[in-house]
Amino acid sequence: MLLSSLTRLEAIIDSETAALTMHDLGGQDDFNRRKSQSLIELTRLERAVDAAHLSTPEIACLERVRAKLRRNHELLGIHLRAMQEVSEIVSTMIQSAESDGTYSSALRYQE
């Protein structure tokens, strides 16, 4: 049961990582929902599984999932930072467009 849960999680991570690599952020809600479901499933399995007696395929799958999660985390971080930068640019542009210069640090002189 653990191996099948890990394999499902691995497939979700692979799909999300591929989408992030292609800059396709349209399915993020679905990916988040599916990853949350996997987390709940793995949390429940954790209580029933003796970590000291994991099989070789389970250990190998855990190691693959860990490596894939690292890459996925990196890509999510890149996209998050890019979105923050775009947000800051848009916010600055809106503030600049709405400002009449009254509180600007530069004084404007008209001749």
Side-chain angles (χ1 to χ4, degrees), residues 8-17 31 34-35 38:
R8 275 192 299 278
L9 177 58
E10 186 175 13
I12 295 166
I13 295 166
D14 286 342
S15 296
E16 183 181 38
T17 300
F31 288 127
R34 292 169 55 201
K35 287 190 298 185
S38 285

Side-chain angles (χ1 to χ4, degrees), residues 3-49:
L3 192 54
S4 63
S5 293
L6 289 170
T7 302
R8 275 192 299 278
L9 177 58
E10 186 175 13
I12 295 166
I13 295 166
D14 286 342
S15 296
E16 183 181 38
T17 300
L20 290 168
T21 301
M22 301 295 290
H23 307 291
D24 177 11
L25 303 178
Q28 281 309 118
D29 287 339
D30 183 53
F31 288 127
N32 287 337
R33 181 187 53 75
R34 292 169 55 201
K35 287 190 298 185
S36 292
Q37 288 172 340
S38 285
L39 178 60
I40 291 167
E41 186 177 345
L42 288 170
T43 301
R44 289 177 181 156
L45 283 171
E46 178 186 29
R47 297 177 189 127
V49 173

Side-chain angles (χ1 to χ4, degrees), residues 9 11 16 26 28 46 54-55 64-65 75 77 85-87 89 92 95 98 102 109 111:
L9 177 58
E16 183 181 38
Q28 281 309 118
E46 178 186 29
L54 292 175
S55 68
R64 279 194 318 272
V65 168
L75 289 171
E85 287 179 26
V86 168
S87 175
I89 290 168
T92 300
Q95 289 174 355
E98 291 178 346
T102 303
Y109 295 102
E111 295 179 27

Side-chain angles (χ1 to χ4, degrees), residues 48-78:
V49 173
D50 181 6
H53 296 96
L54 292 175
S55 68
T56 302
E58 289 169 336
I59 293 170
C61 193
L62 279 167
E63 290 173 353
R64 279 194 318 272
V65 168
R66 183 185 331 185
K68 289 178 180 191
L69 279 170
R70 276 194 201 112
R71 176 67 180 142
N72 183 269
H73 183 262
E74 290 171 8
L75 289 171
L76 284 168
I78 289 168

